[in-house]
Amino acid sequence: MEPIIVHEGNTAVLPRVNVDTDQIIPKQFLKRVERTGFGQFLFFDWRFLADGTPDPSFELNKPEAEEASVLLADHNFGCGSSREHAPWALQDYGFRVIIAPSFADIFYNNCFKNGILTIRLPEKQVYELMDNGKEEYYKLKVDLEHQTIQDSKGFEAGFEIDPYWKEMLLKGWDEISLTLQYADHIDAYEKQRGI
Amino acid sequence: MQPKTIIEKIWDTHAVMSEKGKPNLMFIDLHMVHEVTSPQAFEGLRLAGRKVRRPDLTFATMDHNVPTQNRMSITDSIAKKQMETLANNCEEFGIDIADLNSPNNGIVHIIGPQMGLTQPGKTIVCGDSHTSTHGAFGALAFGIGTSEVEHVLATQTIWQSKPKTMEVRVNGRLNPGATAKDIILSIIAKHGVDFGTGHVLEFTGEAIRGLTMEERMTICNMSIEAGAKAGLISPDQVTIDYLKGREKVPDGEAFEKLAQEWRDTASDEGAVYDAVVEMDSEEIEPMVTWGTNPSQGIGIHKQIPDPANAESDHDRRAIQQSLDYMDLKPGMKMTEVEIQHVFIGSCTNSRISDLRAAAKIAEGRKVADGVRALVVPGSQAVKMQAESEGLDKVFLEAGFEWRESGCSMCLSMNPDFVPEGERCASTSNRNFEGRQGKGARTHLVSPAMAAAAAVAGRFVDIRDLKKPSLQ
Ligand code: SF4
């Protein structure tokens, strides 16, 4: 996986609460057996009109969201189904960082496992960023190492992150190889329980 | 000894490694696999040249994509490929599978309990958020993503931060007409779609103790709709009686020993939780959701809320967003809302007792004109049981469609869906936008309420059904 140390990118604003994974990647696209290529289906039902053309009223289709890699989202983002196709689609579309006041648990973890940095900030700060993000080419700089977020206008905030996930993202590690280093612990556990 | 909750007990006996301040490495006793969230995981194993560590603790089924009519001739070529991919993967990696020909085939969360794979004290995972269903047995069961599926296949473990514990106490006895579905919809309506975030819920209290295993599964199934990591119920005699004699449960002395272990897993008297929420059964009425998340539900006689009265800006927006999608107005009563579709099925409510409850309402009545009503049993075994009781005939005579088992219109990945702009009374667990089809409007209800809506063509209170006008 590609490590994240400092990420700087354009923002997209999605001021909707309780955005569920069914919206992030509608179920008709879950039948693929590959892991890549889901970006084209991201937010499909919101993004496209019935005739297949982009819906200009949808937030990600607005000019200010062009080439965004930082998503500013609202409360309980990623709720619903545990489908990992949701982070695959967000990543394949180009997002590396998602900032919201709260996330659904499974989605939050799934993002880390796929190299997306999810950041919880207080509602007030997120709404401030969302306001700023209404202008075109509003950029944020996210420094994972120092756990800070900055823009060019003087916004600066720190954020919390589990040290485990931080290290995984900084190094771009794959979790299975990490765990397999502890194979003797697993052997010993199985033996002790006789299973 | 310090009294412990069942959650802590299971946690402590399954931690392979626990370093302070880091996620623990947890051993997984049962890994259930289905066709939709597994292909990329097996692909990952193959690419890395890895094996499945414990095929004997892994069990697969096909459910999400399965057609409920002519299930053997699948016309959707991508769905077919996904099912074939699962069958091939299971063969290659030595995993038992309940494929479409197997009498054990059915929705993953229905067949685990039915076969006795699901047992108290186990850690259970599956690449599906409703894995919390298995918590009804006092197992710590939660949904995982595909990367985690791959991780569990390769290592039989998973990294997890210790969750917080929350007691959800349901006091008193249920009102007539109120069911397990109404309990969980009421709890979520009262406390919101994210009150459980970061927690494992343990449901306790008189109302919960009085439930059958099938009803307990309905409750735990929807814990995830409260944002919880998992939901469970401490095992008791009801649990033990349910499991006795099931295919994967040992008998004789081995069973007695196991049953004692199960009893010991239950939360100790006086155990302390990180949080407690309560609900009084008296408050619980037959529920219907009006919005696009499961917390947007009300008692059948209540009025649809007005966004103007919302407590916060965030709630106001959420309510307005939902009303727009659902094409409903504040102040309307649910009994005024007409439906065009009914779905009785899904891992929330497709067990035999659910079908019996629906059949009781359907018997001697007719599905209203202009309503399409599907009954989709949760597994082939449930279907056979229902047919042996003649429930299929009751449904067919009343004008319901009687289908083969599968997830069906719970998420409409198979050919069953609700057309755009139409309304469905559904016994499933999610009323999200587009869940049952693009633009489809879903209202969550109990099986009896769904059957009643089918015959009335609109939502009705099952307690009023005896009134002649509805017969
Ligand atoms: S019935 Fe619905 S919720 Fe249950 S496993 Fe199938 S799709 Fe998921």
Side-chain angles (χ1 to χ4, degrees):
Chain A
M1 257 179 338
E2 221 181 292
I4 299 186
I5 299 165
V6 177
H7 178 82
E8 185 161 8
N10 224 359
T11 54
V13 180
L14 192 64
R16 304 186 187 211
V17 290
N18 301 324
V19 171
D20 57 74
T21 52
D22 283 53
Q23 293 315 323
I24 298 175
I25 179 88
K27 65 204 164 248
Q28 63 266 37
F29 307 114
L30 303 188
K31 293 181 190 169
R32 294 159 54 96
V33 294
E34 302 84 16
R35 205 180 259 252
T36 50
F38 285 96
Q40 53 187 314
F41 311 124
L42 179 72
F43 293 120
F44 193 87
D45 292 345
W46 284 343
R47 217 166 114 203
F48 300 104
L49 297 167
D51 65 0
T53 58
D55 181 344
S57 69
F58 179 55
E59 291 87 343
L60 294 196
N61 290 335
K62 296 194 173 152
E64 58 268 27
E66 252 174 57
E67 289 174 32
S69 62
V70 178
L71 181 63
L72 298 169
D74 213 327
H75 276 285
N76 201 27
F77 188 76
C79 59
S81 142
S82 60
R83 62 186 66 158
E84 206 156 334
H85 310 67
W88 295 339
L90 286 159
Q91 191 183 46
D92 196 54
Y93 185 87
F95 289 115
R96 294 297 320 266
V97 179
I98 308 174
I99 302 173
S102 62
F103 292 92
D105 280 352
I106 299 179
F107 175 81
Y108 185 77
N109 286 330
N110 281 343
C111 281
F112 284 115
K113 286 170 205 286
N114 288 284
I116 298 177
L117 170 58
T118 39
I119 300 176
R120 296 190 187 102
L121 281 188
E123 180 182 284
K124 210 173 139 248
Q125 288 180 339
V126 176
Y127 292 166
E128 184 184 339
L129 293 177
M130 283 187 172
D131 261 349
N132 295 344
K134 283 185 194 139
E135 55 185 71
E136 283 182 45
Y137 301 111
Y138 175 65
K139 276 192 192 315
L140 281 177
K141 183 172 163 188
V142 179
D143 183 334
L144 176 57
E145 181 124 48
H146 300 101
Q147 299 178 213
T148 57
I149 302 173
Q150 286 176 310
D151 69 6
S152 59
K153 304 183 184 172
F155 177 93
E156 182 158 358
F159 62 88
E160 295 294 316
I161 180 171
D162 185 319
Y164 171 80
W165 288 123
K166 181 176 175 179
E167 193 174 340
M168 296 285 280
L169 284 179
L170 284 173
K171 303 209 164 122
W173 271 347
D174 136 41
E175 231 185 357
I176 297 178
S177 358
L178 187 81
T179 308
L180 288 174
Q181 294 176 2
Y182 303 117
D184 2 329
H185 287 78
I186 307 172
D187 293 342
Y189 175 89
E190 287 172 330
K191 213 161 143 210
Q192 170 235 322
R193 263 187 61 197
I195 45 172
Chain B
M1 245 195 330
Q2 183 87 2
K4 277 184 175 182
T5 65
I6 178 171
I7 303 158
E8 294 163 289
K9 290 185 191 182
I10 300 177
W11 194 271
D12 293 348
T13 49
H14 287 81
V16 176
M17 285 178 54
S18 45
E19 264 181 75
K20 235 189 144 74
K22 285 197 176 171
N24 295 0
L25 189 62
M26 302 295 295
F27 191 80
I28 298 303
D29 295 326
L30 173 64
H31 183 193
M32 310 261 323
V33 173
H34 66 84
E35 78 276 20
V36 178
T37 53
S38 69
Q40 290 89 354
F42 284 111
E43 183 67 20
L45 289 185
R46 244 190 313 271
L47 290 173
R50 290 174 178 139
K51 286 216 260 309
V52 173
R53 184 179 172 101
R54 295 294 302 265
D56 58 323
L57 302 182
T58 312
F59 192 86
T61 185
M62 303 171 172
D63 51 7
H64 283 66
N65 278 331
V66 180
T68 54
Q69 283 171 314
N70 304 322
R71 66 205 305 254
M72 292 307 174
S73 57
I74 301 163
T75 49
D76 177 343
S77 61
I78 318 173
K80 193 167 173 200
K81 184 170 170 205
Q82 224 174 34
M83 286 188 253
E84 284 167 0
T85 305
L86 179 64
N88 295 338
N89 284 330
C90 286
E91 167 133 27
E92 182 182 338
F93 291 96
I95 295 168
D96 273 349
I97 178 171
D99 65 12
L100 295 188
N101 296 307
S102 163
N104 279 327
N105 180 259
I107 304 174
V108 62
H109 310 311
I110 302 282
I111 66 166
Q114 176 186 292
M115 294 171 70
L117 282 165
T118 305
Q119 294 173 10
K122 280 191 178 183
T123 47
I124 302 177
V125 295
C126 172
D128 187 282
S129 48
H130 292 94
T131 308
S132 58
T133 315
H134 306 260
F137 291 78
L140 183 60
F142 50 91
I144 56 177
T146 301
S147 299
E148 292 171 311
V149 170
E150 185 179 338
H151 191 279
V152 176
L153 288 171
T155 68
Q156 203 57 34
T157 60
I158 189 166
W159 293 97
Q160 286 288 308
S161 305
K162 197 168 183 168
K164 292 196 213 108
T165 60
M166 185 187 288
E167 181 182 13
V168 181
R169 201 182 310 141
V170 189
N171 300 315
R173 295 222 192 126
L174 277 186
N175 293 321
T179 66
K181 182 65 160 283
D182 303 305
I183 298 181
I184 189 68
L185 284 173
S186 301
I187 294 172
I188 299 170
K190 184 171 173 188
H191 298 285
V193 277
D194 48 10
F195 80 89
T197 304
H199 291 78
V200 173
L201 313 182
E202 180 179 351
F203 296 93
T204 66
E206 191 186 351
I208 300 293
R209 284 290 141 221
L211 299 176
T212 64
M213 280 320 296
E214 299 201 346
E215 292 169 324
R216 292 179 188 185
M217 285 187 248
T218 301
I219 304 252
C220 290
N221 174 276
M222 289 192 70
S223 317
I224 180 75
E225 309 311 333
K229 172 96 204 158
L232 48 64
I233 294 172
S234 278
D236 57 13
Q237 197 55 42
V238 177
T239 323
I240 294 167
D241 292 345
Y242 178 95
L243 285 170
K244 193 167 182 164
R246 303 224 166 231
E247 188 182 330
K248 300 285 182 182
V249 176
D251 46 20
E253 234 173 85
F255 178 76
E256 293 311 323
K257 191 165 161 267
L258 209 50
Q260 191 50 49
E261 281 173 27
W262 292 344
R263 282 189 199 99
D264 295 341
T265 329
S267 285
D268 298 329
E269 187 87 41
V272 180
Y273 299 81
D274 295 311
V276 180
V277 301
E278 286 190 73
M279 183 89 212
D280 281 321
S281 291
E282 280 160 33
E283 294 173 42
I284 301 172
E285 285 187 275
M287 297 284 289
V288 186
T289 63
W290 53 266
T292 55
N293 75 55
S295 75
Q296 294 175 322
I298 47 177
I300 175 76
H301 294 296
K302 298 256 163 63
Q303 289 179 344
I304 294 174
D306 191 336
N309 302 332
E311 280 172 19
S312 69
D313 202 36
H314 149 228
D315 286 356
R316 183 160 29 252
R317 270 184 295 149
I319 295 174
Q320 194 56 54
Q321 213 170 289
S322 300
L323 289 178
D324 292 347
Y325 181 84
M326 295 298 288
D327 191 28
L328 294 172
K329 299 264 168 314
M332 264 175 98
K333 275 186 153 183
M334 288 317 299
T335 46
E336 297 166 30
V337 178
E338 293 184 357
I339 50 118
Q340 294 77 42
H341 302 266
V342 170
F343 172 58
I344 297 172
S346 91
C347 58
T348 314
N349 283 124
S350 65
R351 286 167 283 266
I352 189 69
S353 55
D354 300 314
L355 303 190
R356 286 178 192 144
K360 219 164 138 190
I361 303 278
E363 187 153 28
R365 296 191 170 96
K366 285 276 180 240
V367 170
D369 286 345
V371 173
R372 175 184 71 139
L374 299 192
V375 185
V376 182
S379 68
Q380 291 303 93
V382 170
K383 178 171 184 266
M384 269 158 46
Q385 174 67 29
E387 286 172 357
S388 76
E389 296 177 19
L391 302 186
D392 55 328
K393 300 226 170 53
V394 172
F395 285 120
L396 288 166
E397 265 161 36
F400 288 78
E401 294 178 37
W402 178 248
R403 296 291 185 88
E404 303 272 354
S405 69
C407 293
S408 176
M409 223 149 77
C410 172
L411 92 168
S412 301
M413 275 186 79
N414 78 340
D416 309 331
F417 70 97
V418 177
E420 189 156 0
E422 299 192 8
R423 249 176 239 293
C424 181
S426 177
T427 66
S428 53
N429 42 49
R430 286 191 172 146
N431 49 350
F432 296 158
E433 289 185 22
R435 173 88 176 175
Q436 293 191 296
K438 189 176 166 113
R441 301 182 174 128
T442 303
H443 298 269
L444 304 177
V445 284
S446 71
M449 285 287 284
V455 299
R458 61 181 173 86
F459 291 106
V460 287
D461 187 339
I462 37 172
R463 295 168 298 189
D464 296 340
L465 258 199
K466 284 181 209 79
K467 291 183 186 161
S469 63
L470 290 167
Q471 280 194 351

